[in-house]
């Protein structure tokens, strides 16, 4: 059985939980170690007791650097009871430093996999800070055998032209983890609201975009109750003046708290009609390049995604001729696209999503096993590098629901 040491930047991150579940379902034995940023009991994994390396805070880069240095110093003590792993996965840049220290402690020759699913704005700066961070990424990742990322736009806009990393890339999209059996992947068509009840837009997951919150609040008031905004997930409180207070005073917006992913996805998505798949958190950079979890989750349950023109999400929808694309980021722009929604138009949009293969949205047990097999192959491959390739696939113009 493949032994994996997974180093996480945030033990409370639901995405970390999903990855551990996927690796275990694929047949690996996983030891989880990482930093705590907050408490999130819903991120707990049955049978997995994580090794805490310290505590970090959102948005405090210098504090995180200090925590990483401290973790490297204490790592020998923290990992003293572990057998040598076959592979180490480092999620995010700071964990690459911890991974290199772990390899040294285990006697070397342990393949490192770098998992990077977001490109922080500091990495993109065209100044001394940005150049230093990219150099650090290249140096810390010089022995990485594999790069796991979630969007082709990350390769196109960052890893190929800017990053010094030379690890071979592997694209794993943010699909819905379903390991219960083939029947789980049956398509779902969304139902429309009963007469006199509102359409509902769901914004679920990592809630970190104050611009989205303000836009959706303004839109819902503009529609005078014909649309309701449903929020679920983990608010990044550092990005909002008063998230709970703001939502409390909105007449057509409600926050339902955190949820388990993937277990609670059917219940929360079947309670809405549209998925807000827009993020302005790092507008024009990471937010334009990512393919968010909620895109796959909503489509998995037949909910119509809403994207904005000029993003990788909009391109993704255009290729499949599904979803809605805003021309401008405003309440008026959203009203122009869905303000006069009809049941016939919505039913057609949801049905077209259901015509896509389930594999478009679902990461199943076979995918988990293939991932573990790819990681196992690293232990047998010679230590050579494959530069991140150029993106040669044709780009498509954005489209949407007619």
């Amino acid at each position: 059985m493949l032994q994996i040491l997974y180093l996480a930047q945030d033990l409370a991150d639901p995405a970390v939980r999903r990855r551990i579940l996927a690796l275990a379902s694929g047949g690996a034995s996983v030891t989880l170690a990482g930093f705590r940023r907050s408490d999130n009991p819903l991120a707990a994994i049955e049978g997995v007791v994580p090794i805490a390396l310290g505590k970090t805070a959102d948005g405090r880069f210098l504090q995180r650097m200090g925590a990483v240095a401290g973790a490297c110093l204490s790592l020998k003590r923290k990992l003293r009871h572990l057998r040598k792993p076959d592979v180490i996965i480092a999620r995010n840049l700071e964990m690459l430093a911890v991974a290199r220290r772990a390899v040294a402690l285990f006697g070397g020759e342990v393949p490192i996999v770098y998992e990077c699913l977001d490109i922080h704005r500091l990495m993109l700066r065209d100044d001394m800070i940005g150049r230093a961070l990219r150099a650090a990424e290249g140096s810390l990742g010089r022995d990485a055998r594999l790069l796991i990322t979630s969007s082709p736009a990350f390769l196109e806009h960052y890893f190929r032209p800017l990053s010094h990393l030379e690890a071979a890339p592997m694209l794993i999209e943010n699909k819905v983890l379903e390991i219960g059996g083939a029947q789980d992947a049956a398509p779902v068509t969304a139902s429309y609201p009963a007469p006199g009840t509102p359409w509902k837009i769901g914004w679920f997951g990592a809630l970190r975009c104050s611009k989205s919150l303000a836009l959706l609040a303004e839109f819902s008031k503009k529609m005078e109750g014909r649309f309701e905004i449903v929020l679920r997930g983990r608010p990044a409180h550092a990005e909002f003046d008063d998230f709970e207070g703001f939502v409390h005073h909105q007449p057509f917006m409600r926050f339902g708290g955190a949820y388990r992913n993937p277990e609670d996805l059917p219940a929360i998505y079947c309670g809405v009609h549209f998925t807000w798949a827009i993020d302005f958190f790092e507008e024009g950079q990471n937010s334009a390049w990512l393919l968010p979890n909620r895109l796959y989750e909503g489509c998995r349950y037949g909910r119509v995604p809403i994207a904005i023109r000029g993003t990788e999400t909009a391109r993704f929808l255009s290729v499949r001729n599904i979803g809605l694309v805003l021309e401008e980021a405003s309440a008026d722009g959203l009203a122009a696209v869905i303000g006069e929604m009809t049941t016939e138009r919505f039913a057609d949009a949801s049905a077209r999503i259901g015509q896509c293969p389930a594999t478009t949205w679902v990461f199943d047990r076979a995918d988990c096993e293939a991932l573990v097999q790819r990681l196992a192959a690293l232990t047998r491959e010679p230590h050579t590098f494959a530069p991140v390739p150029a993106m040669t696939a044709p780009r498509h113009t954005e489209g949407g629901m007619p």
Side-chain angles (χ1 to χ4, degrees):
M1 178 179 288
L2 189 72
Q3 304 290 320
I4 297 175
L5 173 60
Y6 192 98
L7 300 174
Q9 87 292 357
D10 181 5
L11 293 173
D13 186 348
V16 169
R17 179 178 187 267
R18 290 197 307 276
R19 186 67 84 223
I20 300 300
L21 291 173
L23 293 169
S25 297
S29 175
V30 186
T31 299
L32 173 62
F35 294 104
R36 295 194 182 278
R37 292 190 189 175
S38 61
D39 293 325
N40 180 15
L42 296 179
I45 307 166
E46 184 178 356
V48 176
V49 179
I51 299 171
L53 301 179
K55 190 159 186 177
T56 59
D58 260 338
R60 295 179 58 188
F61 189 72
L62 291 178
Q63 187 272 338
R64 285 162 59 182
M65 290 178 62
V68 168
C72 288
L73 291 174
S74 65
L75 202 61
K76 184 175 182 179
R77 174 174 54 84
K78 295 288 182 70
L79 303 183
R80 66 184 182 276
H81 298 305
L82 295 186
R83 57 165 285 188
K84 183 178 180 178
D86 299 309
V87 175
I88 297 176
I89 301 178
R91 188 180 180 100
N92 284 13
L93 176 58
E94 61 257 49
M95 305 317 293
L96 268 179
V98 180
R100 286 184 60 83
R101 174 61 177 159
V103 168
L105 291 173
F106 286 118
E109 298 304 316
V110 180
I112 295 175
V113 176
Y114 179 34
E115 185 173 28
C116 182
L117 308 186
D118 282 295
I119 310 299
H120 196 280
R121 59 184 177 272
L122 291 177
M123 305 296 295
L124 300 168
R125 287 176 54 157
D126 189 23
D127 59 9
M128 184 174 66
I129 292 175
R131 289 190 292 271
L133 286 173
R134 291 191 294 274
E137 181 183 59
S139 177
L140 293 172
R142 66 180 179 271
D143 293 327
R145 306 282 189 91
L146 191 68
L147 163 69
I148 294 177
T149 194
S150 58
S151 170
F154 290 153
L155 297 172
E156 180 180 2
H157 295 290
Y158 177 71
F159 286 110
R160 180 169 57 86
L162 294 176
S163 174
H164 299 288
L165 204 72
E166 295 185 330
M170 181 179 187
L171 184 68
I172 302 180
E173 297 171 67
N174 291 315
K175 297 182 182 181
V176 179
L177 180 63
E178 293 190 1
I179 53 180
Q183 70 278 5
D184 291 349
V188 177
T189 301
S191 59
Y192 41 81
T197 61
W199 296 96
K200 295 181 181 180
I201 301 174
W203 180 24
F204 303 145
L207 308 179
R208 60 183 184 178
C209 179
S210 58
K211 183 173 178 178
S212 287
L213 187 67
L215 189 159
L216 289 169
E218 182 183 353
F219 167 76
S220 65
K221 287 185 285 190
K222 181 182 181 70
M223 293 292 101
E224 299 180 329
R226 290 191 290 118
F227 285 80
E228 180 180 334
I229 313 302
V230 182
L231 312 176
R232 294 293 302 269
R234 299 173 67 213
H237 289 98
E239 304 302 325
F240 303 98
D241 292 333
D242 179 9
F243 176 84
E244 283 81 4
F246 180 87
V247 173
H248 177 74
H249 288 95
Q250 299 304 313
F252 310 113
M253 177 180 283
R254 58 184 174 86
F255 175 53
Y259 56 91
R260 293 182 305 162
N261 189 333
E263 292 89 341
D264 294 340
L265 295 182
I268 66 171
Y269 277 98
C270 288
V272 300
H273 307 97
F274 303 94
T275 302
W276 186 252
I278 297 175
D279 186 335
F280 304 106
F281 178 63
E282 292 179 347
E283 198 168 358
Q285 297 179 335
N286 186 74
S287 291
W289 305 336
L290 57 75
L291 292 172
N293 296 308
R294 57 183 71 96
L295 167 65
Y296 301 89
E297 294 166 359
C299 289
R300 165 66 184 91
Y301 297 103
R303 274 53 196 173
V304 180
I306 302 171
I308 190 163
R309 189 169 297 279
T311 63
E312 189 67 16
T313 302
R315 295 189 186 103
F316 181 98
L317 298 179
S318 175
V319 169
R320 293 158 181 81
N321 192 30
I322 60 175
L324 296 158
V325 175
L326 305 188
E327 295 294 332
E328 62 177 53
S330 68
D332 288 339
L334 182 55
V337 172
I338 65 171
E340 301 300 326
M341 182 59 58
T342 65
T343 56
E344 293 79 12
R345 189 173 170 222
F346 177 79
D348 174 70
S350 181
R352 282 193 281 116
I353 293 170
Q355 292 168 5
C356 295
T359 53
T360 309
W361 322 117
V362 172
F363 196 84
D364 62 16
R365 189 176 294 275
D367 295 315
C368 297
E369 292 170 351
L371 170 58
V372 171
Q373 290 168 10
R374 178 67 186 94
L375 296 174
L378 296 176
T379 65
R380 303 185 295 270
E381 295 173 357
H383 192 174
T384 57
F385 293 113
V388 175
M391 300 297 294
T392 57
R395 310 305 287 168
H396 302 266
T397 56
E398 300 91 329
M401 192 172 74

